[in-house]
Amino acid sequence: MAVVIRYVDNNGHIIERFLGIQHVSDTTASSLKAAIEALFSKHGLSISRLRGQGYDGASNMRGEFNGLKALILNNNPSAYYVHCFAHRLQLTLVAVTKKHNEVGDVFNFISSIINIVGASCKRMEVIREKQYARIIEGLENGEISSGRGLNQETSLRRYSDTRWGSHYITIIRLLAMFSSVLDVLEIIREDGMNSEQRTKAVILTEKLIRLALFYPSEFSIVDLMVLGDQLDTYIIDLRGDDEFSSIEVATATVERVFSAMHIVKSRLRNRMGDKWMNDSLVVYIEKDIFDKIDNEAIMKRFQNMKTRRKQL
């Protein structure tokens, strides 16, 4: 569990800081509350000083009687609960788009593809092998470039109504693995276990081809790839506009913490313990604070932790 605190400094400025991550044995409200209390105690903080709390809309978080918000309000009635604005916006966008028949049909169609292609471990292994072979061939022919973070899409990803940006990632993965998905659908069409599976594979194959032929006129692959950068620019423009200075409370920083975990705890550092990962995340996320710390002070602190043979 990631914990971020927001407070007002002596100059009246609102500051938001990543406090740390806390290991939880389960996600029940009582366990989460105990974990928060332990983390607060570690840093000399108290839940009685809270004046607000914000989470997503999960039942264990916002439950009226037994949710985390209710347990904290029982101890501190001043810790008012705010449903994260970013999650509310996500749910609103999903609800609105579902009212649009064409958009709803596209995502229902994508969901059907993921369900039938990923219905078994065998099919998932086939699509990984075919995608891997295509990447190797593309690299050898110079059709695709290599580099850090490139060409790592080897499995389709399901979207979630409550996960910010998951629909975008699902579409990007499907575009990147388009040829491999078609190959697996062809295999299912020829060797499906029953007539129903074979019929579904035929229908999905035809729809997928039509989808690829239709949508490039609206959004090319390049357009979809740069959509994330365009969104970042849009956010910067909003932050610079005084009309949006009073935007509602969101817990986006917590979401960014989980994104940072994939950078800090990489495949080469997958045996990292909770304490080491927590310390690494704090340093990585709160760069602006740690950049102000002098290297001499860090070396001196390290030197004094225990007796060493050599002075740094």
Side-chain angles (χ1 to χ4, degrees):
M1 176 178 64
V3 179
V4 174
I5 59 172
R6 185 179 291 133
Y7 61 93
V8 179
D9 65 11
N10 295 332
N11 297 320
H13 298 145
I14 299 176
I15 310 296
E16 191 173 82
R17 295 299 181 192
F18 170 59
L19 194 60
I21 57 173
Q22 188 75 3
H23 178 77
V24 291
S25 56
D26 56 67
T27 56
T28 60
S30 57
S31 296
L32 295 176
K33 182 173 180 290
I36 291 175
E37 288 177 334
L39 186 61
F40 273 35
S41 176
K42 175 183 175 182
H43 293 281
L45 303 173
S46 173
I47 287 182
S48 62
R49 300 293 299 276
L50 277 181
R51 293 299 176 264
Q53 49 180 321
Y55 321 105
D56 59 17
S59 58
N60 63 330
M61 307 301 283
R62 62 170 298 185
E64 194 67 29
F65 302 104
N66 297 315
L68 176 60
K69 94 164 183 189
L71 297 181
I72 292 179
L73 282 171
N74 289 338
N75 291 352
N76 179 10
S78 298
Y80 297 103
Y81 167 74
V82 179
H83 188 175
C84 171
F85 179 74
H87 283 88
R88 285 160 55 195
L89 178 60
Q90 168 73 1
L91 293 172
T92 302
L93 288 173
V94 171
V96 170
T97 53
K98 284 183 176 179
K99 296 292 184 180
H100 194 286
N101 293 335
E102 284 78 6
V103 176
D105 290 344
V106 167
F107 281 105
N108 288 335
F109 166 55
I110 292 175
S111 180
S112 298
I113 291 176
I114 295 174
N115 287 337
I116 192 168
V117 172
S120 66
C121 296
K122 181 179 179 181
R123 292 177 189 174
M124 293 170 63
E125 184 62 28
V126 170
I127 197 171
R128 275 195 292 266
E129 290 176 356
K130 289 187 172 295
Q131 182 66 10
Y132 179 74
R134 277 193 168 80
I135 291 174
I136 296 299
E137 182 181 357
L139 289 172
E140 292 176 348
N141 297 336
E143 297 175 355
I144 58 177
S145 58
S146 61
R148 182 176 180 181
L150 298 178
N151 311 312
Q152 296 184 359
E153 297 85 359
T154 57
S155 63
L156 296 176
R157 182 166 172 176
R158 298 180 186 274
Y159 59 85
S160 170
D161 288 350
T162 58
R163 181 60 60 191
W164 188 265
S166 65
H167 293 74
Y168 167 73
I169 295 174
T170 298
I171 294 175
I172 289 295
R173 287 283 181 91
L174 181 60
L175 287 172
M177 303 177 64
F178 185 82
S179 299
S180 301
V181 170
L182 277 179
D183 289 344
V184 174
L185 288 174
E186 288 290 341
I187 293 173
I188 298 172
R189 185 168 68 173
E190 296 175 1
D191 305 324
M193 296 177 62
N194 52 56
S195 58
E196 182 181 357
Q197 282 191 355
R198 290 192 292 271
T199 302
K200 282 185 177 180
V202 171
I203 295 173
L204 289 174
T205 302
E206 294 174 352
K207 285 186 176 180
L208 197 58
I209 293 174
R210 273 185 283 143
L211 180 69
L213 294 174
F214 179 75
Y215 277 96
S217 61
E218 304 293 332
F219 288 97
S220 67
I221 294 179
V222 176
D223 289 334
L224 289 172
M225 293 297 184
V226 301
L227 188 59
D229 294 332
Q230 291 174 347
L231 180 59
D232 290 338
T233 303
Y234 174 70
I235 292 173
I236 293 172
D237 291 339
L238 280 184
R239 287 175 175 170
D241 194 327
D242 293 335
E243 294 183 5
F244 292 91
S245 60
S246 59
I247 195 164
E248 295 192 46
V249 174
T251 57
T253 302
V254 176
E255 302 295 338
R256 288 193 287 270
V257 169
F258 291 115
S259 299
M261 284 185 184
H262 295 292
I263 300 174
V264 173
K265 191 174 183 178
S266 64
R267 182 176 60 84
L268 298 177
R269 293 195 295 254
N270 60 359
R271 297 177 64 86
M272 181 183 292
D274 289 344
K275 188 177 185 306
W276 185 19
M277 181 168 67
N278 178 78
D279 295 342
S280 300
L281 281 171
V282 171
V283 174
Y284 178 82
I285 295 170
E286 301 295 346
K287 296 186 183 76
D288 56 332
I289 293 179
F290 286 91
D291 284 343
K292 300 175 183 177
I293 300 177
D294 186 63
N295 289 337
E296 290 294 331
I298 297 175
M299 289 190 292
K300 186 176 180 181
R301 172 69 181 273
F302 180 76
Q303 183 76 53
N304 295 335
M305 288 176 65
K306 66 178 182 179
T307 304
R308 304 182 187 279
R309 294 181 180 178
K310 187 176 180 180
Q311 287 291 116
L312 296 178

Short mmCIF file of all heavy atoms in Angstrom, two decimals, residues 19-80:
data_model
loop_
_atom_site.label_atom_id
_atom_site.label_comp_id
_atom_site.label_asym_id
_atom_site.label_seq_id
_atom_site.Cartn_x
_atom_site.Cartn_y
_atom_site.Cartn_z
N LEU A 19 5.01 9.40 1.34
CA LEU A 19 5.47 9.01 2.67
C LEU A 19 6.15 7.66 2.65
O LEU A 19 7.14 7.43 3.34
CB LEU A 19 4.28 8.99 3.64
CG LEU A 19 4.61 8.92 5.14
CD1 LEU A 19 5.44 10.13 5.54
CD2 LEU A 19 3.33 8.86 5.96
N GLY A 20 5.64 6.73 1.88
CA GLY A 20 6.25 5.41 1.81
C GLY A 20 5.25 4.34 1.44
O GLY A 20 4.06 4.60 1.27
N ILE A 21 5.74 3.12 1.30
CA ILE A 21 4.87 1.97 1.05
C ILE A 21 4.85 1.10 2.30
O ILE A 21 5.82 1.07 3.06
CB ILE A 21 5.33 1.15 -0.18
CG1 ILE A 21 6.78 0.68 0.00
CG2 ILE A 21 5.16 1.95 -1.45
CD1 ILE A 21 7.25 -0.26 -1.08
N GLN A 22 3.75 0.40 2.49
CA GLN A 22 3.60 -0.44 3.66
C GLN A 22 3.06 -1.79 3.22
O GLN A 22 2.07 -1.87 2.50
CB GLN A 22 2.63 0.22 4.66
CG GLN A 22 2.53 -0.46 6.00
CD GLN A 22 3.75 -0.20 6.88
OE1 GLN A 22 4.65 0.54 6.50
NE2 GLN A 22 3.79 -0.80 8.05
N HIS A 23 3.74 -2.85 3.66
CA HIS A 23 3.29 -4.20 3.32
C HIS A 23 2.01 -4.54 4.08
O HIS A 23 1.91 -4.27 5.28
CB HIS A 23 4.37 -5.22 3.65
CG HIS A 23 3.96 -6.64 3.36
ND1 HIS A 23 3.95 -7.16 2.09
CD2 HIS A 23 3.55 -7.63 4.19
CE1 HIS A 23 3.54 -8.41 2.15
NE2 HIS A 23 3.29 -8.73 3.40
N VAL A 24 1.02 -5.11 3.38
CA VAL A 24 -0.23 -5.53 4.02
C VAL A 24 -0.47 -7.00 3.70
O VAL A 24 -0.23 -7.45 2.58
CB VAL A 24 -1.42 -4.68 3.54
CG1 VAL A 24 -1.32 -3.26 4.05
CG2 VAL A 24 -1.54 -4.67 2.03
N SER A 25 -0.91 -7.74 4.70
CA SER A 25 -1.17 -9.17 4.52
C SER A 25 -2.45 -9.42 3.74
O SER A 25 -2.57 -10.42 3.04
CB SER A 25 -1.25 -9.88 5.89
OG SER A 25 -2.22 -9.27 6.71
N ASP A 26 -3.41 -8.52 3.86
CA ASP A 26 -4.65 -8.60 3.09
C ASP A 26 -5.18 -7.19 2.90
O ASP A 26 -4.63 -6.23 3.43
CB ASP A 26 -5.68 -9.51 3.77
CG ASP A 26 -6.00 -9.07 5.19
OD1 ASP A 26 -6.58 -7.98 5.35
OD2 ASP A 26 -5.65 -9.80 6.14
N THR A 27 -6.27 -7.07 2.14
CA THR A 27 -6.79 -5.74 1.81
C THR A 27 -8.08 -5.42 2.55
O THR A 27 -8.87 -4.59 2.09
CB THR A 27 -7.04 -5.63 0.29
OG1 THR A 27 -7.91 -6.70 -0.13
CG2 THR A 27 -5.73 -5.71 -0.47
N THR A 28 -8.31 -6.06 3.69
CA THR A 28 -9.47 -5.70 4.49
C THR A 28 -9.24 -4.32 5.11
O THR A 28 -8.11 -3.88 5.30
CB THR A 28 -9.71 -6.73 5.60
OG1 THR A 28 -8.56 -6.78 6.46
CG2 THR A 28 -9.97 -8.11 5.02
N ALA A 29 -10.33 -3.63 5.44
CA ALA A 29 -10.24 -2.27 5.97
C ALA A 29 -9.44 -2.22 7.27
O ALA A 29 -8.63 -1.31 7.48
CB ALA A 29 -11.65 -1.71 6.18
N SER A 30 -9.64 -3.22 8.14
CA SER A 30 -8.92 -3.24 9.42
C SER A 30 -7.42 -3.39 9.22
O SER A 30 -6.61 -2.75 9.91
CB SER A 30 -9.46 -4.36 10.30
OG SER A 30 -9.35 -5.62 9.65
N SER A 31 -7.02 -4.24 8.27
CA SER A 31 -5.59 -4.42 7.99
C SER A 31 -4.97 -3.16 7.41
O SER A 31 -3.85 -2.78 7.77
CB SER A 31 -5.38 -5.60 7.03
OG SER A 31 -5.80 -6.81 7.61
N LEU A 32 -5.69 -2.49 6.51
CA LEU A 32 -5.19 -1.26 5.92
C LEU A 32 -5.05 -0.16 6.97
O LEU A 32 -4.07 0.59 6.97
CB LEU A 32 -6.12 -0.80 4.80
CG LEU A 32 -6.22 -1.73 3.58
CD1 LEU A 32 -7.25 -1.21 2.59
CD2 LEU A 32 -4.87 -1.87 2.89
N LYS A 33 -6.02 -0.09 7.89
CA LYS A 33 -5.95 0.92 8.94
C LYS A 33 -4.75 0.66 9.85
O LYS A 33 -4.03 1.59 10.24
CB LYS A 33 -7.24 0.92 9.76
CG LYS A 33 -7.27 1.98 10.86
CD LYS A 33 -8.64 2.04 11.52
CE LYS A 33 -8.67 3.09 12.63
NZ LYS A 33 -7.86 2.68 13.79
N ALA A 34 -4.54 -0.60 10.21
CA ALA A 34 -3.39 -0.94 11.05
C ALA A 34 -2.08 -0.59 10.36
O ALA A 34 -1.13 -0.11 11.00
CB ALA A 34 -3.44 -2.43 11.40
N ALA A 35 -2.01 -0.82 9.04
CA ALA A 35 -0.80 -0.50 8.29
C ALA A 35 -0.55 1.00 8.26
O ALA A 35 0.59 1.47 8.40
CB ALA A 35 -0.91 -1.05 6.87
N ILE A 36 -1.60 1.79 8.09
CA ILE A 36 -1.46 3.25 8.08
C ILE A 36 -1.01 3.75 9.44
O ILE A 36 -0.13 4.62 9.55
CB ILE A 36 -2.80 3.91 7.67
CG1 ILE A 36 -3.10 3.63 6.20
CG2 ILE A 36 -2.75 5.42 7.91
CD1 ILE A 36 -4.44 4.14 5.73
N GLU A 37 -1.60 3.20 10.50
CA GLU A 37 -1.21 3.61 11.86
C GLU A 37 0.26 3.29 12.12
O GLU A 37 0.97 4.09 12.75
CB GLU A 37 -2.11 2.91 12.89
CG GLU A 37 -3.53 3.45 12.92
CD GLU A 37 -4.41 2.69 13.89
OE1 GLU A 37 -4.11 1.50 14.15
OE2 GLU A 37 -5.40 3.27 14.37
N ALA A 38 0.72 2.13 11.66
CA ALA A 38 2.12 1.74 11.84
C ALA A 38 3.05 2.69 11.09
O ALA A 38 4.10 3.11 11.62
CB ALA A 38 2.33 0.30 11.38
N LEU A 39 2.68 3.05 9.87
CA LEU A 39 3.50 3.97 9.08
C LEU A 39 3.51 5.36 9.69
O LEU A 39 4.56 6.01 9.77
CB LEU A 39 2.97 4.03 7.64
CG LEU A 39 3.81 4.83 6.64
CD1 LEU A 39 5.21 4.23 6.51
CD2 LEU A 39 3.13 4.87 5.29
N PHE A 40 2.35 5.82 10.15
CA PHE A 40 2.29 7.13 10.80
C PHE A 40 3.14 7.16 12.07
O PHE A 40 3.85 8.13 12.33
CB PHE A 40 0.84 7.47 11.13
CG PHE A 40 0.10 8.15 10.00
CD1 PHE A 40 0.36 7.81 8.69
CD2 PHE A 40 -0.86 9.11 10.25
CE1 PHE A 40 -0.31 8.41 7.64
CE2 PHE A 40 -1.54 9.74 9.21
CZ PHE A 40 -1.26 9.39 7.90
N SER A 41 3.05 6.08 12.86
CA SER A 41 3.81 6.01 14.09
C SER A 41 5.31 6.04 13.82
O SER A 41 6.09 6.67 14.56
CB SER A 41 3.43 4.74 14.86
OG SER A 41 4.21 4.58 16.01
N LYS A 42 5.72 5.38 12.75
CA LYS A 42 7.14 5.34 12.38
C LYS A 42 7.68 6.74 12.11
O LYS A 42 8.84 7.04 12.41
CB LYS A 42 7.31 4.44 11.15
CG LYS A 42 8.72 4.41 10.58
CD LYS A 42 8.76 3.55 9.33
CE LYS A 42 10.12 3.60 8.68
NZ LYS A 42 10.15 2.80 7.41
N HIS A 43 6.84 7.61 11.55
CA HIS A 43 7.27 8.96 11.19
C HIS A 43 6.81 10.01 12.20
O HIS A 43 6.89 11.21 11.92
CB HIS A 43 6.73 9.32 9.80
CG HIS A 43 7.32 8.51 8.69
ND1 HIS A 43 8.56 8.78 8.16
CD2 HIS A 43 6.86 7.42 8.03
CE1 HIS A 43 8.83 7.90 7.20
NE2 HIS A 43 7.81 7.07 7.09
N GLY A 44 6.32 9.57 13.36
CA GLY A 44 5.92 10.51 14.39
C GLY A 44 4.65 11.27 14.07
O GLY A 44 4.45 12.40 14.53
N LEU A 45 3.76 10.68 13.26
CA LEU A 45 2.50 11.30 12.89
C LEU A 45 1.34 10.63 13.62
O LEU A 45 1.49 9.53 14.16
CB LEU A 45 2.28 11.22 11.37
CG LEU A 45 3.39 11.83 10.50
CD1 LEU A 45 3.14 11.53 9.04
CD2 LEU A 45 3.48 13.33 10.73
N SER A 46 0.19 11.26 13.60
CA SER A 46 -0.97 10.72 14.29
C SER A 46 -2.21 10.89 13.43
O SER A 46 -2.40 11.94 12.78
CB SER A 46 -1.18 11.42 15.63
OG SER A 46 -2.40 11.00 16.22
N ILE A 47 -3.05 9.85 13.41
CA ILE A 47 -4.30 9.92 12.65
C ILE A 47 -5.22 11.01 13.20
O ILE A 47 -6.03 11.58 12.48
CB ILE A 47 -5.00 8.54 12.65
CG1 ILE A 47 -4.24 7.57 11.74
CG2 ILE A 47 -6.45 8.64 12.21
CD1 ILE A 47 -4.86 6.20 11.62
N SER A 48 -5.06 11.33 14.48
CA SER A 48 -5.91 12.36 15.09
C SER A 48 -5.67 13.74 14.48
O SER A 48 -6.51 14.64 14.61
CB SER A 48 -5.66 12.43 16.60
OG SER A 48 -4.31 12.80 16.87
N ARG A 49 -4.54 13.92 13.79
CA ARG A 49 -4.23 15.22 13.16
C ARG A 49 -4.73 15.29 11.72
O ARG A 49 -4.57 16.34 11.07
CB ARG A 49 -2.72 15.47 13.21
CG ARG A 49 -2.12 15.49 14.60
CD ARG A 49 -2.60 16.68 15.40
NE ARG A 49 -2.21 17.94 14.76
CZ ARG A 49 -1.02 18.53 14.91
NH1 ARG A 49 -0.10 17.96 15.69
NH2 ARG A 49 -0.75 19.66 14.30
N LEU A 50 -5.28 14.20 11.20
CA LEU A 50 -5.78 14.19 9.83
C LEU A 50 -6.98 15.11 9.69
O LEU A 50 -7.83 15.19 10.57
CB LEU A 50 -6.18 12.78 9.40
CG LEU A 50 -5.10 11.82 8.91
CD1 LEU A 50 -5.73 10.49 8.53
CD2 LEU A 50 -4.34 12.40 7.73
N ARG A 51 -7.07 15.78 8.52
CA ARG A 51 -8.24 16.60 8.23
C ARG A 51 -8.88 16.20 6.90
O ARG A 51 -9.74 16.90 6.39
CB ARG A 51 -7.84 18.08 8.19
CG ARG A 51 -7.42 18.63 9.54
CD ARG A 51 -8.56 18.53 10.55
NE ARG A 51 -8.16 18.98 11.89
CZ ARG A 51 -7.75 18.17 12.85
NH1 ARG A 51 -7.68 16.84 12.63
NH2 ARG A 51 -7.42 18.64 14.02
N GLY A 52 -8.47 15.06 6.40
CA GLY A 52 -9.07 14.56 5.17
C GLY A 52 -8.44 13.25 4.76
O GLY A 52 -7.33 12.93 5.18
N GLN A 53 -9.15 12.47 3.97
CA GLN A 53 -8.64 11.19 3.45
C GLN A 53 -9.26 10.97 2.07
O GLN A 53 -10.44 11.26 1.85
CB GLN A 53 -8.99 10.04 4.39
CG GLN A 53 -10.44 10.00 4.81
CD GLN A 53 -10.75 8.84 5.73
OE1 GLN A 53 -10.26 7.72 5.56
NE2 GLN A 53 -11.60 9.09 6.73
N GLY A 54 -8.47 10.47 1.14
CA GLY A 54 -8.96 10.26 -0.21
C GLY A 54 -8.50 8.93 -0.78
O GLY A 54 -7.32 8.59 -0.68
N TYR A 55 -9.43 8.19 -1.36
CA TYR A 55 -9.13 6.89 -1.98
C TYR A 55 -9.97 6.75 -3.24
O TYR A 55 -10.71 7.65 -3.62
CB TYR A 55 -9.46 5.72 -1.04
CG TYR A 55 -9.13 5.95 0.41
CD1 TYR A 55 -10.13 6.21 1.35
CD2 TYR A 55 -7.82 5.91 0.86
CE1 TYR A 55 -9.84 6.42 2.68
CE2 TYR A 55 -7.51 6.13 2.19
CZ TYR A 55 -8.52 6.38 3.10
OH TYR A 55 -8.23 6.60 4.41
N ASP A 56 -9.85 5.57 -3.87
CA ASP A 56 -10.75 5.27 -4.98
C ASP A 56 -12.09 4.79 -4.42
O ASP A 56 -12.34 4.88 -3.22
CB ASP A 56 -10.12 4.23 -5.92
CG ASP A 56 -9.81 2.91 -5.20
OD1 ASP A 56 -10.36 2.70 -4.11
OD2 ASP A 56 -9.03 2.11 -5.73
N GLY A 57 -12.93 4.28 -5.29
CA GLY A 57 -14.28 3.92 -4.86
C GLY A 57 -14.47 2.48 -4.47
O GLY A 57 -15.62 2.00 -4.40
N ALA A 58 -13.38 1.74 -4.19
CA ALA A 58 -13.52 0.33 -3.80
C ALA A 58 -14.29 0.22 -2.49
O ALA A 58 -14.19 1.08 -1.61
CB ALA A 58 -12.13 -0.31 -3.66
N SER A 59 -15.06 -0.86 -2.35
CA SER A 59 -15.93 -1.02 -1.18
C SER A 59 -15.14 -1.11 0.12
O SER A 59 -15.60 -0.63 1.16
CB SER A 59 -16.80 -2.27 -1.34
OG SER A 59 -15.99 -3.43 -1.50
N ASN A 60 -13.94 -1.71 0.09
CA ASN A 60 -13.16 -1.82 1.33
C ASN A 60 -12.57 -0.47 1.74
O ASN A 60 -12.14 -0.28 2.89
CB ASN A 60 -12.04 -2.84 1.16
CG ASN A 60 -11.05 -2.44 0.10
OD1 ASN A 60 -11.40 -1.77 -0.87
ND2 ASN A 60 -9.81 -2.84 0.24
N MET A 61 -12.58 0.51 0.81
CA MET A 61 -12.05 1.83 1.12
C MET A 61 -13.15 2.80 1.55
O MET A 61 -13.03 3.48 2.55
CB MET A 61 -11.30 2.41 -0.09
CG MET A 61 -10.24 1.49 -0.67
SD MET A 61 -8.95 1.05 0.51
CE MET A 61 -7.98 2.52 0.52
N ARG A 62 -14.24 2.85 0.78
CA ARG A 62 -15.26 3.86 1.02
C ARG A 62 -16.53 3.30 1.64
O ARG A 62 -17.57 3.97 1.69
CB ARG A 62 -15.62 4.58 -0.28
CG ARG A 62 -16.23 3.68 -1.35
CD ARG A 62 -16.77 4.49 -2.50
NE ARG A 62 -17.85 5.38 -2.07
CZ ARG A 62 -18.56 6.13 -2.90
NH1 ARG A 62 -18.30 6.11 -4.19
NH2 ARG A 62 -19.52 6.90 -2.46
N GLY A 63 -16.48 2.04 2.14
CA GLY A 63 -17.65 1.43 2.77
C GLY A 63 -18.23 2.31 3.87
O GLY A 63 -17.49 2.83 4.71
N GLU A 64 -19.54 2.47 3.90
CA GLU A 64 -20.19 3.39 4.82
C GLU A 64 -20.04 3.00 6.28
O GLU A 64 -19.96 3.84 7.17
CB GLU A 64 -21.68 3.50 4.47
CG GLU A 64 -22.40 4.66 5.11
CD GLU A 64 -21.90 6.02 4.60
OE1 GLU A 64 -21.46 6.09 3.44
OE2 GLU A 64 -21.95 6.97 5.39
N PHE A 65 -19.98 1.67 6.54
CA PHE A 65 -19.93 1.20 7.93
C PHE A 65 -18.62 0.50 8.28
O PHE A 65 -18.08 0.70 9.37
CB PHE A 65 -21.11 0.26 8.20
CG PHE A 65 -22.45 0.90 7.96
CD1 PHE A 65 -23.18 0.60 6.83
CD2 PHE A 65 -22.97 1.82 8.86
CE1 PHE A 65 -24.41 1.19 6.59
CE2 PHE A 65 -24.19 2.41 8.65
CZ PHE A 65 -24.92 2.11 7.51
N ASN A 66 -18.11 -0.32 7.36
CA ASN A 66 -16.91 -1.11 7.68
C ASN A 66 -15.72 -0.79 6.77
O ASN A 66 -14.71 -1.49 6.81
CB ASN A 66 -17.23 -2.61 7.57
CG ASN A 66 -18.27 -3.04 8.59
OD1 ASN A 66 -18.20 -2.67 9.75
ND2 ASN A 66 -19.25 -3.82 8.14
N GLY A 67 -15.84 0.24 5.94
CA GLY A 67 -14.74 0.61 5.06
C GLY A 67 -13.64 1.33 5.82
O GLY A 67 -13.80 1.73 6.98
N LEU A 68 -12.49 1.52 5.16
CA LEU A 68 -11.36 2.20 5.79
C LEU A 68 -11.74 3.61 6.20
O LEU A 68 -11.36 4.08 7.28
CB LEU A 68 -10.17 2.22 4.82
CG LEU A 68 -8.93 2.98 5.28
CD1 LEU A 68 -8.38 2.38 6.57
CD2 LEU A 68 -7.86 2.98 4.19
N LYS A 69 -12.48 4.30 5.35
CA LYS A 69 -12.88 5.68 5.67
C LYS A 69 -13.71 5.72 6.94
O LYS A 69 -13.54 6.60 7.78
CB LYS A 69 -13.66 6.28 4.51
CG LYS A 69 -15.15 6.15 4.64
CD LYS A 69 -15.96 7.02 3.75
CE LYS A 69 -17.43 6.78 4.09
NZ LYS A 69 -18.36 7.39 3.18
N ALA A 70 -14.62 4.71 7.12
CA ALA A 70 -15.47 4.68 8.31
C ALA A 70 -14.66 4.41 9.57
O ALA A 70 -14.90 5.02 10.62
CB ALA A 70 -16.56 3.63 8.13
N LEU A 71 -13.68 3.50 9.47
CA LEU A 71 -12.85 3.18 10.63
C LEU A 71 -12.04 4.39 11.08
O LEU A 71 -11.89 4.64 12.28
CB LEU A 71 -11.92 2.01 10.30
CG LEU A 71 -12.60 0.67 9.98
CD1 LEU A 71 -11.56 -0.40 9.71
CD2 LEU A 71 -13.54 0.23 11.10
N ILE A 72 -11.51 5.14 10.11
CA ILE A 72 -10.73 6.33 10.47
C ILE A 72 -11.63 7.43 11.01
O ILE A 72 -11.29 8.13 11.97
CB ILE A 72 -9.93 6.82 9.25
CG1 ILE A 72 -8.83 5.80 8.91
CG2 ILE A 72 -9.30 8.19 9.50
CD1 ILE A 72 -7.99 6.16 7.71
N LEU A 73 -12.83 7.58 10.43
CA LEU A 73 -13.78 8.59 10.92
C LEU A 73 -14.25 8.29 12.33
O LEU A 73 -14.57 9.21 13.10
CB LEU A 73 -14.98 8.68 9.97
CG LEU A 73 -14.76 9.46 8.67
CD1 LEU A 73 -15.95 9.28 7.74
CD2 LEU A 73 -14.52 10.93 8.97
N ASN A 74 -14.30 7.01 12.69
CA ASN A 74 -14.68 6.65 14.06
C ASN A 74 -13.68 7.19 15.07
O ASN A 74 -14.04 7.57 16.20
CB ASN A 74 -14.80 5.13 14.20
CG ASN A 74 -16.01 4.58 13.46
OD1 ASN A 74 -16.97 5.31 13.20
ND2 ASN A 74 -15.97 3.29 13.13
N ASN A 75 -12.39 7.20 14.69
CA ASN A 75 -11.33 7.71 15.56
C ASN A 75 -11.16 9.21 15.45
O ASN A 75 -10.77 9.88 16.41
CB ASN A 75 -9.99 7.03 15.24
CG ASN A 75 -9.97 5.57 15.63
OD1 ASN A 75 -10.89 5.08 16.29
ND2 ASN A 75 -8.93 4.87 15.22
N ASN A 76 -11.44 9.73 14.26
CA ASN A 76 -11.22 11.16 14.00
C ASN A 76 -12.32 11.69 13.08
O ASN A 76 -12.21 11.59 11.85
CB ASN A 76 -9.85 11.37 13.37
CG ASN A 76 -9.57 12.83 13.07
OD1 ASN A 76 -10.31 13.72 13.48
ND2 ASN A 76 -8.49 13.09 12.33
N PRO A 77 -13.38 12.26 13.65
CA PRO A 77 -14.50 12.76 12.82
C PRO A 77 -14.11 13.89 11.88
O PRO A 77 -14.87 14.21 10.96
CB PRO A 77 -15.51 13.26 13.88
CG PRO A 77 -15.14 12.55 15.13
CD PRO A 77 -13.66 12.39 15.08
N SER A 78 -12.94 14.49 12.07
CA SER A 78 -12.51 15.60 11.21
C SER A 78 -11.80 15.13 9.95
O SER A 78 -11.48 15.95 9.07
CB SER A 78 -11.57 16.54 11.99
OG SER A 78 -12.24 17.11 13.10
N ALA A 79 -11.53 13.83 9.85
CA ALA A 79 -10.85 13.29 8.67
C ALA A 79 -11.87 13.01 7.58
O ALA A 79 -12.21 11.86 7.28
CB ALA A 79 -10.07 12.03 9.03
N TYR A 80 -12.38 14.06 6.97
CA TYR A 80 -13.45 13.93 5.98
C TYR A 80 -12.97 13.17 4.75
O TYR A 80 -11.86 13.37 4.26
CB TYR A 80 -13.97 15.31 5.58
CG TYR A 80 -14.59 16.07 6.72
CD1 TYR A 80 -13.89 17.11 7.34
CD2 TYR A 80 -15.84 15.73 7.21
CE1 TYR A 80 -14.44 17.80 8.41
CE2 TYR A 80 -16.40 16.42 8.27
CZ TYR A 80 -15.69 17.45 8.87
OH TYR A 80 -16.25 18.12 9.92
#
